[in-house]
Amino acid sequence: FSLNVASFNPFDSKDRVGEQKWYQRITVGYSLQGRNTITTADSLLFKKESLNDFTNGFQHNIPVSLSLNAFNYFQFNTSVNYTERWYLQSIRKKLVNEINGFTAERDTVQGFRRAYDYSVSSGLSTKIYGMYPKMGKIEAIRHVVTPSINLNYRPDFSDARYGFYRDYVNDNGVQERYSIFESGIYGSPSAGKSMGIGFSVDNNIEAKVRNNNDTTGNGFSKIKILQGLTFSGNYNFMADSLKLSTISFSGRTSLFKEKINLNFNGTFDPYVVNENGVRIDRFALKDGKLARLTNFGMSFDY
């Protein structure tokens, strides 16, 4: 099942007079998901022993955001995203001494456990307008560029103080860290601290074309040349290597008087790969090469 609550402003008032205060612009949302599943033979489904074989969980998500105008030309956005998962089972791993040697064993532990994670992000965005001169029947071309940059932070939820991850020695004698929620329906809080800069650039291009069927000479049509060509990525200061993420892009446009919509997307990798096909911590630009196009997709809507 799922439950979604429409976003609302908890500090605003229905009887407010005048413009909103900054705190009245705070927006909160809420969603809840729940699931209970089992894979078994039909003859065992309603047996008492099957109750412990169910895999279930709940997931709560609470996004909080605030958007303000800053310095007349910028939009300031900040957000906190909180996710909490409720499980009735968790796992434990241990090394068991048997006759033939040591064997890694995994147990399912019944009992309520909660797992949570959160992330924080703040950034600025603005719009830059460009106009291109008249070219034949094209009266004007408008190019709108929307750059944005944000600072983001997410703690390391594999830290021992949270209790979500544990260590054990596997059957190869190597200490290994695992999440006690790794088999959970809604996953586990992620390991590794992240603190970085996210960036994106969105492009929108429209043309104003004279309409030949208009006898007054004042009729024009707007043609959408390029809609939402966006490039985005992230730079993680906390990573040991490969701090810059891949650069993803997506866009769309219309053909034949908007009868066909063309959508495309892909990913660029700024790093080079060695002879074994493994990414190494060296930018392709240092070798005089552009970023590698690792995937590309295209679709049409009629």
Side-chain angles (χ1 to χ4, degrees):
F1 69 91
S2 63
L3 170 69
N4 296 282
V5 176
S7 299
F8 61 97
N9 302 93
F11 305 109
D12 202 358
S13 172
K14 294 182 179 179
D15 301 325
R16 173 178 50 83
V17 178
E19 295 185 359
Q20 287 178 310
K21 305 293 184 182
W22 70 267
Y23 57 85
Q24 294 175 323
R25 294 177 179 268
I26 296 175
T27 302
V28 179
Y30 174 75
S31 64
L32 167 65
Q33 293 178 303
R35 189 183 301 171
N36 188 38
T37 66
I38 188 173
T39 301
T40 186
D42 55 356
S43 60
L44 302 176
L45 180 59
F46 298 105
K47 300 291 185 180
K48 183 178 180 180
E49 296 78 9
S50 298
L51 295 177
N52 291 334
D53 295 332
F54 277 98
T55 302
N56 40 51
F58 300 87
Q59 179 171 264
H60 310 263
N61 184 252
I62 305 176
V64 182
S65 61
L66 172 65
S67 181
L68 299 170
N69 293 322
F71 311 112
N72 296 326
Y73 300 104
F74 295 92
Q75 189 77 16
F76 172 76
N77 301 282
T78 187
S79 63
V80 178
N81 193 73
Y82 180 83
T83 300
E84 181 163 317
R85 306 166 183 86
W86 292 352
Y87 292 125
L88 299 181
Q89 308 96 5
S90 55
I91 67 166
R92 302 292 186 273
K93 294 182 180 180
K94 61 183 178 180
L95 200 61
V96 179
N97 189 2
E98 297 182 346
I99 298 177
N100 298 326
F102 290 94
T103 303
E105 188 175 280
R106 168 172 163 163
D107 294 329
T108 299
V109 179
Q110 302 296 326
F112 175 79
R113 293 296 297 262
R114 57 187 286 266
Y116 63 87
D117 62 75
Y118 60 87
S119 61
V120 183
S121 176
S122 295
L124 290 173
S125 64
T126 189
K127 290 184 179 294
I128 302 172
Y129 297 88
M131 297 294 292
Y132 297 93
K134 180 178 179 179
M135 293 180 294
K137 294 183 180 180
I138 300 177
E139 191 69 18
I141 296 178
R142 187 178 74 162
H143 184 190
V144 182
V145 183
T146 308
S148 64
I149 186 170
N150 68 81
L151 299 175
N152 51 76
Y153 172 74
R154 188 194 69 233
D156 180 8
F157 291 99
S158 67
D159 192 284
R161 59 178 173 168
Y162 295 105
F164 303 151
Y165 285 75
R166 298 193 177 191
D167 295 325
Y168 88 110
V169 178
N170 61 27
D171 48 8
N172 293 320
V174 178
Q175 182 169 294
E176 182 179 312
R177 177 162 291 189
Y178 71 97
S179 170
I180 64 174
F181 303 109
E182 66 181 26
S183 61
I185 288 180
Y186 297 107
S188 172
S190 57
K193 181 187 292 186
S194 174
M195 182 173 66
I197 296 178
F199 54 88
S200 68
V201 179
D202 181 73
N203 297 269
N204 191 298
I205 302 177
E206 293 183 347
K208 187 178 181 180
V209 181
R210 186 179 297 278
N211 190 347
N212 292 331
N213 296 326
D214 187 81
T215 56
T216 64
N218 297 320
F220 297 95
S221 301
K222 286 186 178 181
I223 298 177
K224 298 177 181 179
I225 299 176
L226 194 59
Q227 306 170 57
L229 174 59
T230 304
F231 297 87
S232 61
N234 186 75
Y235 188 88
N236 185 4
F237 293 105
M238 305 303 296
D240 295 329
S241 61
L242 305 174
K243 296 185 176 183
L244 180 62
S245 70
T246 55
I247 310 299
S248 60
F249 67 91
S250 62
R252 61 187 184 278
T253 188
S254 300
L255 305 174
F256 308 111
K257 296 182 179 181
E258 301 187 11
K259 292 182 179 179
I260 298 178
N261 296 317
L262 169 64
N263 303 279
F264 58 90
N265 61 80
T267 305
F268 290 107
D269 190 343
Y271 293 99
V272 299
V273 296
N274 59 21
E275 59 276 8
N276 297 319
V278 179
R279 301 172 74 214
I280 60 175
D281 197 13
R282 179 181 178 83
F283 288 116
L285 288 175
K286 289 187 176 181
D287 297 335
K289 300 178 182 179
L290 296 175
R292 296 180 299 110
L293 180 64
T294 56
N295 65 74
F296 180 77
M298 183 181 297
S299 63
F300 295 90
D301 296 329
Y302 299 94

